[in-house]
Amino acid sequence: MNIRKRLGGLVLAGVFALTATVVAVGPAHAGSNGQQLLLINNSGTNDSFLLKGTDYNGNPVQTCVNTDGRWETWFSNWWFKGSLTYFTYTAYNCYGTPSNWGAVVNIPTSSSNDWQAITDNSSSYGGNQQIDFFDNLHKANSIRISGYNQYDQNVSGCWATPGWETPVNGWWWQTPVTLTTYTSSNCSGSSNGVYTPERVGNPNNAWFGFADS
């Protein structure tokens, strides 16, 4: 699934520079000086992301990425690091009033992979979704997800997380859900993170993307 998803999202419909502060961003090496971004459109209603941050040379950059309503968009060959502020829009080209006002995340300078996932807020729920977990902090070797499935049963499961992305195939969830991370590979011992992702169950998307940072 990861390969299919990656190939399906590499071509962007359009990237628009919005200010004179945008500079050309060249390649870094294997996430050693900034990260590329995976934009997760959990709401299914956002058509563009406005990104404001710093490139791998320390220059301020700002750009708008059209997502065409896709659930995920792999924004390649732009390398960010440090504080990143992002806004989402229901219109193309980041036009009009943002649907999400200025979420802030930290993009590491160095990482074991080339990507950092950022997500918007889901605008609706009431259905069931599978969860795709992104270990941005690289601290989870397993995750436990507990909550209600599509049959309104309270269930729990453990999954090893050998890489940055772990899609939990075939398990369908609805709000409320608790996600717990562990350093062990089998959810044993003490946890190192507990999260309660909001609005799992958007009926318009089969997947809900969740990142631990």
Side-chain angles (χ1 to χ4, degrees), residues 143-185:
I143 56 172
R144 178 172 295 280
I145 304 176
S146 303
Y148 288 87
N149 66 10
Q150 69 267 42
Y151 305 113
D152 293 324
Q153 299 168 327
N154 194 350
V155 297
S156 179
C158 176
W159 291 265
T161 57
W164 168 65
E165 178 183 7
T166 302
V168 181
N169 291 288
W171 286 63
W172 296 80
W173 305 89
Q174 57 181 303
T175 299
V177 169
T178 300
L179 191 151
T180 307
T181 59
Y182 296 83
T183 57
S184 67
S185 60

Side-chain angles (χ1 to χ4, degrees), residues 30-191:
S32 62
N33 192 20
Q35 314 301 316
Q36 301 168 105
L37 299 181
L38 171 59
L39 312 178
I40 301 293
N41 181 18
N42 279 327
S43 69
T45 60
N46 288 315
D47 286 321
S48 55
F49 279 66
L50 177 62
L51 309 173
K52 296 182 178 182
T54 303
D55 73 4
Y56 74 100
N57 280 324
N59 299 309
V61 291
Q62 175 174 308
T63 191
C64 179
V65 184
N66 284 336
T67 66
D68 289 335
R70 290 189 300 270
W71 177 68
E72 61 175 16
T73 299
W74 298 85
F75 187 35
S76 59
N77 297 322
W78 281 63
W79 301 81
F80 295 86
K81 66 180 181 181
S83 180
L84 174 78
T85 303
Y86 64 98
F87 303 77
T88 57
Y89 295 78
T90 57
Y92 288 98
N93 304 339
C94 301
Y95 177 79
T97 302
S99 57
N100 181 329
W101 285 87
V104 180
V105 295
N106 183 66
I107 309 299
T109 298
S110 179
S111 177
S112 59
N113 70 329
D114 295 335
W115 295 92
Q116 190 89 349
I118 62 174
T119 66
D120 70 350
N121 294 319
S122 183
S123 59
S124 62
Y125 59 102
N128 306 281
Q129 289 179 294
Q130 301 168 101
I131 291 178
D132 199 355
F133 172 69
F134 298 92
D135 186 17
N136 281 341
L137 296 178
H138 300 287
K139 69 175 187 177
N141 289 311
S142 61
I143 56 172
R144 178 172 295 280
I145 304 176
S146 303
Y148 288 87
N149 66 10
Q150 69 267 42
Y151 305 113
D152 293 324
Q153 299 168 327
N154 194 350
V155 297
S156 179
C158 176
W159 291 265
T161 57
W164 168 65
E165 178 183 7
T166 302
V168 181
N169 291 288
W171 286 63
W172 296 80
W173 305 89
Q174 57 181 303
T175 299
V177 169
T178 300
L179 191 151
T180 307
T181 59
Y182 296 83
T183 57
S184 67
S185 60
N186 60 358
C187 302
S188 64
S190 59
S191 67

